[in-house]
Amino acid sequence: MHIAKKTVVDWSDCPIVETDPRKVSGAPILKGTRVQADSILENYEGGSPVEEISENFGIPETTIRELLGFAARQQSRFQP
């Protein structure tokens, strides 16, 4: 049985993510949307290409790439 590893990201310093307790129960979302940052990351880690994620969520590819870049930099800070 293969269990996928879920990446956990602290989005608090990401300039394009906001947390508002009145939106999506306070989950980290892309500013100006109700799209959860973790949902985009999970789709990407699940094998969806950026172009498909962009189309499915209605978010520009450049924004998705910026979000994924932030997540990658976050992870590299914690790796030995």
Side-chain angles (χ1 to χ4, degrees):
M1 174 197 258
H2 176 16
I3 299 174
K5 180 183 172 193
K6 180 180 176 185
T7 301
V8 178
V9 176
D10 175 3
W11 298 109
S12 59
D13 290 331
C14 184
I16 61 171
V17 172
E18 66 180 341
T19 303
D20 183 338
R22 296 170 294 173
K23 296 179 183 175
V24 195
S25 300
I29 57 174
L30 289 172
K31 287 184 178 178
T33 75
R34 296 181 72 76
V35 176
Q36 294 184 32
D38 289 328
S39 293
I40 291 174
L41 183 58
E42 288 169 9
N43 274 261
Y44 184 75
E45 288 179 333
S48 296
V50 170
E51 299 79 14
E52 182 179 306
I53 298 168
S54 173
E55 186 175 318
N56 290 343
F57 287 96
I59 303 294
E61 289 180 27
T62 54
T63 301
I64 292 169
R65 291 183 197 287
E66 184 177 350
L67 184 81
L68 295 173
F70 178 86
R73 289 187 299 278
Q74 266 271 322
Q75 292 308 302
S76 68
R77 289 179 23 203
F78 298 109
Q79 305 215 351

